[in-house]
Amino acid sequence: MDRYEQLANTFVGLADTLVADYDVVEFAQRLVDNLTALLPVSSAGIMLGDANGRLHVFASSSEHTRLLELLQVEANAGPCLESYVTRNPVLVPDIPTESQRWPAFAERAAEYGFAAVFALPLRLRDERIGAVNLFRTEPGALSEGDLAVGQGLADVAAVGILHQRILTRAEIINQQLQSALNSRTIIEQAKGVLAERGSIGMDESFVLLRSHARRTNQRLADLARTVVGGADTTTILNPGAAPQL
């Protein structure tokens, strides 16, 4: 299989994982494996930013890569941090030449046998979500073609991760909607209970239920559940009356 066929299969394979219930962690790990298989690099990693803009290690092809990524987060300095902040690639074909720029990172990279690093942003339009780290054990630049492949896979990662976030947001919204619908149902049931016990209309029972919730600083749905569950409703139907024992 030539490289172009391998690359095509990689993109198809990644696209196939983007189903409704896909595992974003597995997706990221597969991407890391593909990066090391397709490019002349020895290790790769992905870091993601949270809502506060702080980076976190998300996927790594080796423990040394993970530790180097953690070091950048702790030191708040390194090529991956810079790529994330600037939204631009940070290409370092010879790490020792940047020892003054990122001393802790350069020292630890040397300990782990890494001589070059290439950080590529994870971004989609104006939204930045993280960065990809590519490490080599030998110094030297990546070709324009290799960088294009790396950025292309990083872009796929950005789409996939943002897709998962959108699905998560949609799921949360659906859960909130379902919760609201469930609350409305239990409130209607409570209105019926009060109407029957007080021989009053549904509108009046709702006014009484709502007023009691306000007086007692309760959520309307929570109060409704207690009513439906069989709680004493004396003080709801007759404000100011003592509850029955």
Side-chain angles (χ1 to χ4, degrees), residues 182-191 193-194 209 213 218-231 233 236:
N182 292 341
S183 296
R184 192 68 231 181
T185 298
I186 202 72
I187 289 168
E188 292 300 319
Q189 292 172 353
K191 285 165 57 179
V193 170
L194 292 176
L209 184 71
Q218 297 183 68
R219 291 180 58 193
L220 189 59
D222 293 339
L223 176 60
R225 287 188 184 92
T226 65
V227 170
V228 173
T233 56
I236 300 176

Side-chain angles (χ1 to χ4, degrees), residues 50-146:
D50 60 21
N52 297 315
R54 180 175 174 80
L55 281 179
H56 300 267
V57 177
F58 193 62
S60 304
S61 61
S62 71
E63 180 64 11
H64 282 166
T65 304
R66 187 184 73 84
L67 292 174
L68 266 177
E69 290 174 330
L70 282 174
L71 175 67
Q72 293 182 73
V73 172
E74 293 169 357
N76 197 32
C80 195
L81 268 292
E82 187 168 318
S83 180
Y84 175 61
V85 170
T86 64
R87 297 181 173 86
N88 293 314
V90 176
L91 312 178
V92 186
D94 191 1
I95 293 176
T97 62
E98 302 293 345
S99 59
Q100 297 298 316
R101 188 177 181 184
W102 307 305
F105 171 80
E107 181 180 356
R108 187 69 60 83
E111 289 179 17
Y112 294 157
F114 294 126
V117 60
F118 308 91
L120 306 174
L122 284 174
R123 66 195 177 195
L124 184 62
R125 300 184 183 90
D126 295 331
E127 187 164 4
R128 61 174 187 179
I129 63 173
V132 169
N133 276 330
L134 305 173
F135 292 94
R136 299 183 71 180
T137 55
E138 298 293 331
L142 288 178
S143 69
E144 290 186 7
D146 287 334

